[in-house]
Amino acid sequence: MKKRVGIFVSGGGSNMRALVEDMVDDHPARPAVVVSNNETAGGIAWARSQSIATEVIDHRPFGEDRAAFESAINSALAPYALDIICLAGFMRVLTAGFVTPWQGRMLNIHPSLLPKYKGLHTHARALEAGDTDHGCSVHLVTPVLDDGPILGQARIPVDPEDTPDSLAARVLAKEHILYPAVLRRFAAGDTTPITL
């Protein structure tokens, strides 16, 4: 049986596309649904164009009530009987109430070499620190932000002329290689960390 994967996006979904495009042939998983908090997300439009099921749960009507928002996500997910969730640029912090039942089955990609630079503005922070290398990490999601066990990292050198935008673009290209590689192994039961 192929593992059933739900992919969460908030924007263009380039990492989601990389995952979906890899989930073919002998891959141990298949995309079951793409979920977003944003009806106009490019990732949702692309998923629909590929005949992948989509669910949109707008966070705004829930205001500060994260538990109600996450309950709505869980209700939307229920029919898909997911085995794995991949966060791929989902710009909402999920609470322990949502994460804990999925722990060990939820992956995230983060644009830094964790444990460095958890949270936002990772590329600017790497440049400000004078780092000579930078990259991205795929990790298991825990209730602590950007904290779970690392399943893979990809590294790039920082060029003296790099800006946050140029660094972001080069890291993103690595993300599109790393995330599919990690998911393929993870769906087959292999959690040995990889380095690219």
Side-chain angles (χ1 to χ4, degrees):
M1 283 286 289
K2 301 281 187 184
K3 295 284 172 59
R4 296 174 58 78
V5 179
I7 308 172
F8 286 30
V9 301
S10 290
S14 66
N15 269 307
M16 175 268 296
R17 289 179 65 159
L19 292 172
V20 167
E21 288 168 353
D22 194 55
M23 278 189 267
V24 294
D25 302 332
D26 64 347
H27 195 292
R30 288 293 182 268
V33 62
V34 173
V35 177
S36 185
N37 61 314
N38 176 9
E39 176 67 47
T40 61
I44 287 291
W46 185 85
R48 288 173 178 159
S49 79
Q50 303 300 304
S51 302
I52 298 168
T54 60
E55 296 286 345
V56 177
I57 304 95
D58 187 343
H59 61 278
R60 290 171 297 188
F62 297 96
E64 296 298 307
D65 191 347
R66 288 188 178 183
F69 170 60
E70 292 173 352
S71 177
I73 295 174
N74 272 323
S75 296
L77 292 181
Y80 298 98
L82 299 180
D83 299 297
I84 299 167
I85 290 177
C86 290
L87 304 180
F90 186 65
M91 302 309 289
R92 306 301 300 169
V93 174
L94 295 164
T95 71
F98 185 87
V99 170
T100 301
W102 285 100
Q103 208 160 314
R105 299 184 294 147
M106 188 187 307
L107 309 182
N108 182 47
I109 184 131
H110 183 72
S112 79
L113 295 171
L114 291 172
K116 282 186 168 184
Y117 314 127
K118 297 175 183 183
L120 300 174
H121 311 299
T122 58
H123 311 301
R125 288 158 67 196
L127 290 173
E128 285 162 15
D131 289 357
T132 55
D133 59 359
H134 186 46
C136 52
S137 307
V138 176
H139 64 96
L140 284 166
V141 177
T142 67
V144 179
L145 183 70
D146 299 330
D147 191 64
I150 292 169
L151 299 176
Q153 290 190 318
R155 198 173 281 270
I156 61 166
V158 177
D159 294 334
E161 63 275 13
D162 263 324
T163 65
D165 286 346
S166 69
L167 206 49
R170 287 170 45 234
V171 168
L172 188 62
K174 287 288 192 184
E175 291 178 28
H176 295 162
I177 299 166
L178 179 67
Y179 209 173
V182 170
L183 177 61
R184 183 181 281 263
R185 292 159 58 94
F186 183 78
D190 184 353
T191 57
T192 313
I194 61 170
T195 304
L196 300 181

